[in-house]
Amino acid sequence: MSNYTAPVEDMGFVLKEVVELEKLCKEAGFDASTVDIVETVLEAAGKLAKEEIEPINKSGDIEGLKINSSGKVTTANGFKEAYQHYVEGGWGSLQFDTKYGGQGVPFVVAASVQEMWHSANMSWGLCPLLTQGAVEAITHNASEELKRRYLPKLISGEWSGTMNLTEADAGTDVGALKTKATPEKGHYLIRGQKIYITWGEHDMSENIVHLVLARLPDAPVGVKGISLFLVPKILVNEDGSLGETNDLKALSLEDKIGIHACPTCVMSYGDKTGAKGYLVGEENKGIQCMFTMMNNARLTVGLQGVSIAERAYQQALSFCKERVQGVAPGYKDAGPIIRHPDVQRMLATMKSIAEAARALTYTACAEVDMTAGDLPTGLLEKHNRRLGLLTPIVKGWCTEIAQEVASLSLQCHGGMGYIEETGIAQIVRDARILPIYEGTNGIQSMDLVGRKIIGDGGLSIKELTLEMQEFANQTMLSSLLSTVQLDHFKCSINALEEASSLVLNNAENKHHAGMVAFDILMMAGYIAAAWQMLTSLKKARIAFENKTISSDFFESKTKTVAHFIDSILPRYASHFMVISSAKTGVQ
Ligand SMILES: Cc1cc2nc3c(=O)[nH]c(=O)nc-3n(C[C@H](O)[C@H](O)[C@H](O)COP(=O)(O)OP(=O)(O)OC[C@H]3O[C@@H](n4cnc5c(N)ncnc54)[C@H](O)[C@@H]3O)c2cc1C
């Protein structure tokens, strides 16, 4: 079984060459010296991931969690210590505001580091993921007083954060939630039950800051009557010290298919006197506030898809180099299965998808940094539109392809893949949650079609297809691709344009939009990923000529891009067929 090694060379390449980190720092107002420390940051994070977080992945899966009668949760052996080292290393604070103890590094750099945590140990990585979302929601919506009291410890990681939307009868339909908030002097009393709360209770941090959606008395029905509250596990005194325990607890832990070491809690608020909570943002505007958190989490769940794909590929590669079986064409003796063309096909598919997903996801994360920059209004709006468009694509596409890559990796292992011992079974089990949480992929696709394509009259998708067309027409591309490959890419962009027009022309027909939404998302994912792969190829050629990347890396990237364009991009056509036939009612 392989251990995980962070792919720092590809990560560094995507950050520096594809995302153009130096330019991003200049334009968005980050310290330009970030570029010089990228390799050091990636190496150090890779060491923590490999030496401390990955070694407790399998043991955590087997050991799971314990909950006692008073609702206290004990994490698997080694989790607490690894988390402590993560906090001491300042890893949680990379991208946050220096005013509250953050390091002010671009989000895209922090995202590359987070990719490592999830590759190494998805259960563990979910704790920082949720905390980061809570920091975002508080930063953008809470009062100065709440920020002062809660942000520094959340940013340092000494306290962790959660997101509490779901209730038994309010999942996708979050507007149906029933948890109540009653105004008191200076705070609210929260009463209700939430389910599936990730890292809702645990022993890794000294406090847990829950962000809870609840309803005020006489609030309007549906999402318009939801408010957001900050509900700490332990109340925080004026001077920042910890006070009394709040009236909330974990009632039980879910018994899940995967992520066994991650506590998924049924949480009870206000069983006794009511849990003290503090309003974040305005009354009845909770869903907008929660969206700051959800949008961030959606991108990072997409990133988890990249992590799973990378990990699954590494695991398969290592196994295929060692497993001896059969005589491959062109060989005289039995040898490692990596010699077999069909095994090579699976490995090439896994590698090219993982690299494409990384390039696409980092590109979207870079948009987060651009939207935080001090840009002229028109440009800022454009970056906001691009971020809005890419977010459901990254969440949906990267988590769908993660299932494929995990499954292919298992396939490479043959019968041993189906046996827990190799570890690939855990990756497959852990990965299966990705298309479900943070809004199912069905909901992501409707967000893409409803809000992002129809909602802005097709402006953002038009901007994207136009940019891709201009890119495809660059003279340099014709020297890097065959005519067939280049034509194929251009056709795919035209098809995406046509698919968007079909959706826009049928905007009144909600059934049509719902029927084709998933295919639009997947089609957009394949094409946008191809665009990023071709950008990678172009940048790799320039970097190779400038001697800033090795010939091995250039050769590998060239092969991976070719495989993606020849074998993966064509999948867009089947999605396009579904979209085209839905228009004529031939479904
Ligand atoms: C391991 C795990 C961790 C989680 N962590 C958290 C957490 O930390 N915080 C939190 O608040 N929640 C969390 N969740 C909840 C998760 O976000 C929800 O499970 C998810 O949003 C789907 O809601 P649901 O389970 O009620 O499914 P449902 O809403 O019942 O959906 C079932 C199916 O119907 C489809 N569907 C439903 N409504 C529509 C619609 N309007 N249009 C089209 N299709 C629709 C869905 O796409 C899905 O395929 C977690 C869940 C799990 C399993």
Side-chain angles (χ1 to χ4, degrees):
M1 196 208 325
S2 77
N3 280 327
Y4 165 71
T5 302
V8 289
E9 197 174 13
D10 196 50
M11 289 173 161
F13 168 76
V14 177
L15 285 173
K16 286 185 165 181
E17 309 294 345
V18 180
V19 165
E20 298 186 283
L21 188 59
E22 193 170 353
K23 189 162 161 248
L24 180 149
C25 287
K26 272 191 204 132
E27 289 179 3
F30 291 96
D31 187 344
S33 65
T34 308
V35 183
D36 307 326
I37 57 157
V38 161
E39 267 103 17
T40 317
V41 169
L42 293 178
E43 291 292 346
K47 192 166 152 43
L48 182 66
K50 187 179 175 70
E51 293 179 4
E52 299 199 42
I53 302 172
E54 193 281 335
I56 51 172
N57 185 43
K58 189 172 184 190
S59 56
D61 181 55
I62 294 166
E63 191 185 332
L65 300 139
K66 292 181 195 76
I67 182 164
N68 71 11
S69 55
S70 49
K72 295 280 167 238
V73 172
T74 309
T75 49
N77 216 3
F79 269 55
K80 206 170 162 180
E81 292 74 16
Y83 188 77
Q84 191 57 37
H85 293 154
Y86 159 88
V87 173
E88 285 163 8
W91 292 109
S93 65
L94 281 179
Q95 77 269 35
F96 293 122
D97 194 343
T98 49
K99 186 173 163 195
Y100 300 104
Q103 300 180 52
V105 165
F107 173 60
V108 66
V109 176
S112 64
V113 166
Q114 287 169 31
E115 184 199 313
M116 299 181 195
W117 311 150
H118 301 300
S119 282
N121 188 332
M122 212 179 103
S123 281
W124 185 93
L126 276 159
C127 186
L129 186 157
L130 267 302
T131 305
Q132 168 184 292
V135 170
E136 288 292 332
I138 295 170
T139 303
H140 291 103
N141 305 293
S143 65
E144 234 0 274
E145 167 54 19
L146 284 181
K147 288 185 198 175
R148 185 189 61 76
R149 213 181 276 200
Y150 290 91
L151 279 183
K153 296 264 180 174
L154 278 169
I155 285 176
S156 71
E158 287 160 273
W159 299 350
S160 66
T162 71
M163 176 161 73
N164 290 241
L165 289 82
T166 310
E167 297 177 8
D169 295 320
T172 301
D173 184 11
V174 71
L177 67 83
K178 295 194 181 86
T179 297
K180 288 195 169 48
T182 320
E184 291 277 309
K185 213 171 161 213
H187 61 265
Y188 294 77
L189 288 180
I190 312 295
R191 292 186 180 89
Q193 204 177 94
K194 297 283 178 181
I195 61 169
Y196 301 142
I197 304 309
T198 302
W199 285 97
E201 161 59 22
H202 61 90
D203 58 359
M204 300 207 304
S205 64
E206 59 180 1
N207 200 6
I208 303 174
V209 177
H210 301 284
L211 287 180
V212 182
L213 286 181
R215 230 170 242 300
L216 291 160
D218 306 323
V221 290
V223 286
K224 291 193 173 134
I226 293 174
S227 307
L228 180 63
F229 299 90
L230 185 158
V231 190
K233 172 181 165 181
I234 305 173
L235 296 168
V236 180
N237 298 321
E238 177 65 22
D239 63 358
S241 61
L242 292 179
E244 289 171 25
T245 303
N246 207 354
D247 181 15
L248 62 94
K249 68 174 204 167
L251 291 179
S252 59
L253 297 177
E254 301 295 355
D255 183 8
K256 309 186 294 293
I257 293 177
I259 50 169
H260 287 153
C262 163
T264 305
C265 306
V266 176
M267 297 295 299
S268 173
Y269 292 90
D271 271 354
K272 297 170 191 154
T273 51
K276 274 190 184 174
Y278 307 92
L279 185 69
V280 175
E282 291 175 41
E283 289 187 349
N284 299 328
K285 295 274 167 63
I287 201 72
Q288 288 92 324
C289 302
M290 206 65 172
F291 258 111
T292 347
M293 186 163 180
M294 275 155 45
N295 280 335
N296 179 295
R298 283 174 178 183
L299 271 187
T300 41
V301 170
L303 184 70
Q304 287 186 306
V306 181
S307 308
I308 284 288
E310 175 66 37
R311 179 71 197 258
Y313 165 66
Q314 286 193 21
Q315 173 110 6
L317 182 64
S318 156
F319 183 86
C320 295
K321 282 179 178 168
E322 283 167 21
R323 168 75 174 159
V324 174
Q325 199 69 191
V327 182
Y331 290 88
K332 289 198 175 99
D333 304 315
I337 57 172
I338 196 168
R339 289 179 180 172
H340 296 291
D342 187 56
V343 171
Q344 289 168 9
R345 168 192 64 82
M346 291 192 277
L347 289 169
T349 298
M350 284 184 262
K351 188 172 196 296
S352 69
I353 290 180
E355 288 184 13
R358 176 175 301 116
L360 178 63
T361 303
Y362 287 17
T363 298
C365 291
E367 292 296 342
V368 174
D369 292 316
M370 294 308 287
T371 56
D374 190 14
L375 305 178
T377 316
L379 194 57
L380 189 63
E381 282 170 0
K382 195 172 171 193
H383 283 293
N384 267 314
R385 280 197 297 276
R386 179 61 56 86
L387 176 60
L389 185 74
L390 290 183
T391 298
I393 298 174
V394 165
K395 197 283 176 178
W397 187 76
C398 292
T399 61
E400 290 293 329
I401 57 88
Q403 310 307 308
E404 178 186 349
V405 177
S407 178
L408 273 178
S409 178
L410 190 150
Q411 190 70 16
C412 285
H413 287 70
M416 279 309 286
Y418 206 67
I419 308 299
E420 287 284 352
E421 187 191 325
T422 50
I424 183 59
Q426 185 193 347
I427 296 176
V428 173
R429 288 187 284 100
D430 286 354
R432 191 58 189 86
I433 186 59
L434 299 178
I436 298 172
Y437 62 21
E438 269 323 306
T440 61
N441 284 354
I443 297 306
Q444 300 304 319
S445 56
M446 275 174 289
D447 175 48
L448 175 67
V449 168
R451 287 202 193 90
K452 311 295 167 57
I453 297 181
I454 297 175
D456 77 354
L459 177 60
S460 51
I461 191 82
K462 183 81 204 154
E463 285 170 343
L464 180 68
T465 50
L466 204 64
E467 190 174 335
M468 291 196 290
Q469 268 153 357
E470 282 168 9
F471 171 75
N473 288 329
Q474 288 177 4
T475 34
M476 188 176 171
L477 267 202
S478 49
S479 69
L480 295 171
L481 300 174
S482 69
T483 315
V484 174
Q485 286 172 321
L486 190 53
D487 283 350
H488 185 45
F489 177 51
K490 287 180 180 172
C491 282
S492 75
I493 306 168
N494 294 343
L496 182 58
E497 219 174 9
E498 201 179 322
S500 318
S501 299
L502 286 174
V503 166
L504 284 161
N505 293 340
N506 287 283
E508 296 306 312
N509 184 345
K510 295 243 161 55
H511 183 77
H512 175 269
M515 285 301 285
V516 301
F518 184 75
D519 289 285
I520 297 257
L521 182 143
M522 292 305 288
M523 180 179 176
Y526 284 117
I527 297 166
W531 167 50
Q532 286 308 309
M533 281 303 254
L534 291 174
T535 306
S536 300
L537 180 62
K538 180 185 150 188
K539 295 296 173 68
R541 163 65 74 86
I542 297 168
F544 177 60
E545 281 167 3
N546 292 336
K547 298 192 171 40
T548 54
I549 57 169
S550 66
S551 58
D552 282 355
F553 183 82
F554 177 55
E555 199 184 314
S556 158
K557 187 58 83 181
T558 306
K559 278 190 194 155
T560 321
V561 174
H563 185 84
F564 194 89
I565 300 301
D566 295 338
S567 306
I568 312 294
L569 175 62
R571 296 178 187 181
Y572 85 85
S574 63
H575 294 289
F576 184 52
M577 284 298 289
V578 175
I579 300 159
S580 314
S581 58
K583 184 191 161 225
T584 51
V586 187
Q587 280 285 349

